[in-house]
Amino acid sequence: MDIQSKDTLKMMKIDHHFLEDPEDLQEIKETFCSYVLKTSGALHKIDPDYGLLLPDEESIFDDNRLEAHIRSTVSSFHDQCSLIMGGEKDGRVVNGIGEVYGVKNLMVADASIIPYHMDGNTSGPSYS
Ligand SMILES: Cc1cc2nc3c(=O)[nH]c(=O)nc-3n(C[C@H](O)[C@H](O)[C@H](O)COP(=O)(O)OP(=O)(O)OC[C@H]3O[C@@H](n4cnc5c(N)ncnc54)[C@H](O)[C@@H]3O)c2cc1C
């Protein structure tokens, strides 16, 4: 993250370097090859009409097609956990109600304090 300017109205420049690390890409590929395939297989047993559409099974087994799918659809738009909620002794930043350790009268109430990465949408938990 690059603050760029003292002007608070100027947008920060945020570059996650998403998928720059080959290990991240590999982990996502493995998620498709294990979790997604297993889940879709289990659902197919319950309802034979159920099947993967995007990516389809053939694409999951084709490394290049799977990578193209991941690069075009998986996003880094769900930032969370940069100020993790938890115990002070564990090095967390805010307590269970969002108060910042060591700073009086400062509370955080946004997606940054979510205690662990969720695999679902982040707006609902942020607003509630
Ligand atoms: C492109 C995109 C698509 C997304 N799609 C989904 C989706 O489909 N479903 C879903 O659940 N989540 C989605 N998300 C994620 C979701 O938007 C966020 O998780 C959620 O908004 C986080 O809430 P927040 O309160 O932490 O931060 P934000 O909603 O970003 O709120 C921060 C607020 O602070 C304001 N602000 C910033 N700096 C200052 C300043 N200096 N002074 C005053 N105000 C300031 C900003 O204008 C903003 O209103 C998406 C995110 C993106 C980027």
Side-chain angles (χ1 to χ4, degrees):
M1 185 160 63
D2 180 2
I3 290 179
Q4 293 195 96
S5 159
K6 285 184 177 168
D7 179 354
T8 51
L9 296 179
K10 189 155 192 240
M11 290 296 278
M12 286 180 284
K13 186 177 160 201
I14 300 176
D15 182 355
H16 296 97
H17 299 281
F18 189 55
L19 297 180
E20 221 168 65
D21 183 337
E23 273 184 35
D24 291 341
L25 180 63
Q26 190 54 33
E27 231 170 84
I28 299 174
K29 280 183 183 171
E30 284 166 17
T31 303
F32 275 102
C33 296
S34 56
Y35 175 76
V36 172
L37 278 181
K38 261 191 213 157
T39 309
S40 77
L43 290 172
H44 184 76
K45 275 188 192 152
I46 298 167
D47 177 356
D49 284 340
Y50 183 89
L52 283 175
L53 292 178
L54 195 68
D56 57 17
E57 278 196 25
E58 222 174 277
S59 310
I60 290 181
F61 290 116
D62 178 322
D63 205 55
N64 290 334
R65 276 163 68 181
L66 181 57
E67 179 169 339
H69 172 78
I70 291 168
R71 289 195 181 280
S72 66
T73 59
V74 177
S75 78
S76 61
F77 293 154
H78 297 84
D79 284 338
Q80 47 191 302
C81 310
S82 52
L83 301 174
I84 299 182
M85 176 184 280
E88 191 173 12
K89 283 189 197 140
D90 300 327
R92 303 311 192 198
V93 182
V94 299
N95 66 17
I97 56 168
E99 291 169 333
V100 179
Y101 291 120
V103 185
K104 256 191 181 170
N105 300 324
L106 179 62
M107 290 183 83
V108 180
D110 61 23
S112 66
I113 64 170
I114 293 175
Y116 51 86
H117 277 93
M118 304 181 294
D119 62 359
N121 282 341
T122 42
S123 353
S126 307
Y127 305 153
S128 56

